[in-house]
Amino acid sequence: MPVDLYLRAGAAPFRCILGDFSELTVRLRPEGQREPMPAMAPNDEVTIVIDLGSAARTYLIRAAVFRRDPQSCVLRLEQRYQDGEFAPLKLMDTLEIKAGLLNYRC
């Protein structure tokens, strides 16, 4: 599942592959085999975009870096953009996203 990782507002996205998704975290790896994950420090704020094929199924999520190495990073999910603003991510949000991931391209 492709995911766009934004290290700061206005910067170009870094294309990643979603490796794991839990209620509190995601694990991403670089899309290309040769390119390492960009430099990130623990607690850096980043944004990810998960596009499940339509505007209604596109999720803009603020996260904080938990761990990073050249092959992957783990992010703590914190807020979801909805109705024009960021709000704390709720359990129902993660369940909605998980359901969408399970049905992606079905």
Side-chain angles (χ1 to χ4, degrees), residues 21-80:
F21 186 97
S22 74
E23 285 78 21
L24 303 174
T25 61
V26 293
R27 182 176 50 84
L28 305 177
R29 63 180 172 83
E31 184 177 53
Q33 297 296 328
R34 297 181 189 180
E35 196 169 3
M37 290 301 293
M40 295 178 278
N43 298 315
D44 279 357
E45 186 178 279
V46 297
T47 302
I48 60 172
V49 177
I50 302 172
D51 182 355
L52 299 177
S54 70
R57 295 180 55 201
T58 298
Y59 302 95
L60 182 65
I61 301 168
R62 276 191 186 152
V65 176
F66 179 72
R67 176 174 58 232
R68 180 253 178 223
D69 63 45
Q71 292 82 33
S72 67
C73 70
V74 176
L75 306 174
R76 278 188 319 272
L77 303 175
E78 296 182 343
Q79 297 178 315
R80 175 182 176 190

